[in-house]
Amino acid sequence: MKRLSDIGTIKEILGRHGFSFSKGLGQNFLINPSVCPRMAELSGAGEGVGVIEIGAGIGVLTQELCERADRVVSIEIDKRLLPVLDETLGEYDNLTIINDDVMNLDLNRLIEEEFTGMDVVVCANLPYYITSPVIMKLLEDRLRIKAITVMVQKEAAQRICAEVGTREGGAVTAAVNFYSKPELLFNVSAGSFMPAPKVDSAVIRLEVYSESPYSLDDDKKFFTVVKASFAQRRKTVLNSISSSLGLEKQVVNGLLLDSGVDPRARAEKLTMDDFVNIARRL
Ligand code: SAM
């Protein structure tokens, strides 16, 4: 078995296949040998577990997942990487590569077809241009998954893992907390990738709730309130919600007071319970 995280091996394989990196597809491949084993271990990949990976690259993380999990399905959009992956991971019979855009896939169906009787986790070094849409798709599709362990830009990691109700938090923090318990696991320097991106990264883990603790008749209302509250985050929540949703200020004022929320507060001061209470009355 070749050690794929060895930079000499990676350069030799990519050179032989005439591969050139696509910036547009967020292709920054991991070359730090300690990162992938650590990510795979912390993701929960193991006996009786199926793993979904997004973006195989040349397979450096995929290999670590295949060594640990019962089954791995890796979704890779770039068809130029298929012959490379055939060479690097061809020996693993517990691996399926799907050549598609993750945003187009029915992941509930994929889980049903590929992971019968297994616990399922997601583990990926995400392409940075679609970090938030991918995370929100994984959560909003209400997939039968236990946890999501992903590498993202350090700033995004800090935002996602911030406390709701603090300056560091944002709409994505509240959205992620609705479905899961986020945790920042460890930082990864820009030099751990080829080509090196401009900023550092971090690995986060979202422990997905089987049922959200914030029960609502219509979850969509929660997201409507969160988005409207943060739409103009420097303004008061009264002004931000009324202008975003096109509602009379007087109406929104009453709604906020009934929900126990100070209309002059900014969105970043609101807690999960505040957003839920407003959504219930909307
Ligand atoms: N896992 C590899 C590693 O750690 O070295 C590659 C990670 S690289 C940051 C992101 C990978 O995602 C690239 O291989 C890229 O081609 C792939 N990718 C980009 N957009 C995608 C999409 N919409 N669906 C599936 N894969 C995508």
Side-chain angles (χ1 to χ4, degrees), residues 10-31:
I10 296 175
K11 280 187 172 161
E12 188 272 317
I13 295 171
L14 291 178
R16 196 153 32 76
H17 285 268
F19 182 82
S20 54
F21 292 92
S22 157
K23 217 174 172 184
L25 289 178
Q27 289 178 339
N28 301 96
F29 294 171
L30 269 163
I31 52 166

Side-chain angles (χ1 to χ4, degrees), residues 153-280:
Q153 287 190 342
K154 198 170 162 186
E155 246 182 44
Q158 286 165 341
R159 174 78 82 196
I160 290 169
C161 298
E163 291 271 322
V164 178
T166 65
R167 268 188 88 175
E168 292 73 31
V172 70
T173 323
V176 164
N177 273 271
F178 189 81
Y179 294 114
S180 67
K181 193 165 170 285
E183 185 190 356
L184 202 153
L185 296 181
F186 59 94
N187 294 326
V188 179
S189 68
S192 300
F193 301 87
M194 183 172 78
K198 288 201 177 75
V199 292
D200 289 338
S201 298
V203 176
I204 60 171
R205 182 181 153 92
L206 312 179
E207 208 178 312
V208 182
Y209 299 128
S210 47
E211 242 177 77
S212 172
Y214 306 102
S215 75
L216 277 169
D217 287 344
D218 181 1
D219 293 352
K220 281 193 190 119
K221 282 191 184 167
F222 175 86
F223 297 97
T224 304
V225 169
V226 168
K227 273 186 205 149
S229 306
F230 281 101
Q232 292 161 299
R233 62 180 291 155
R234 299 234 167 103
K235 290 195 173 173
T236 63
V237 72
L238 167 65
N239 285 338
S240 191
I241 291 181
S242 60
S243 74
S244 300
L245 299 185
L247 295 172
E248 292 276 339
K249 270 196 189 170
Q250 212 183 335
V251 174
V252 178
N253 196 54
L255 176 71
L256 292 171
L257 290 174
D258 286 350
S259 311
V261 174
D262 179 355
R264 292 162 305 175
R266 301 224 168 105
E268 63 197 32
K269 289 278 174 243
L270 269 54
T271 64
M272 287 298 285
D273 286 334
D274 289 334
F275 291 121
V276 170
N277 285 336
I278 303 168
R280 284 204 181 112

Side-chain angles (χ1 to χ4, degrees), residues 115-128:
F115 299 116
T116 313
M118 292 177 220
D119 282 346
V120 184
V121 300
V122 173
C123 184
N125 171 13
L126 286 181
Y128 293 156

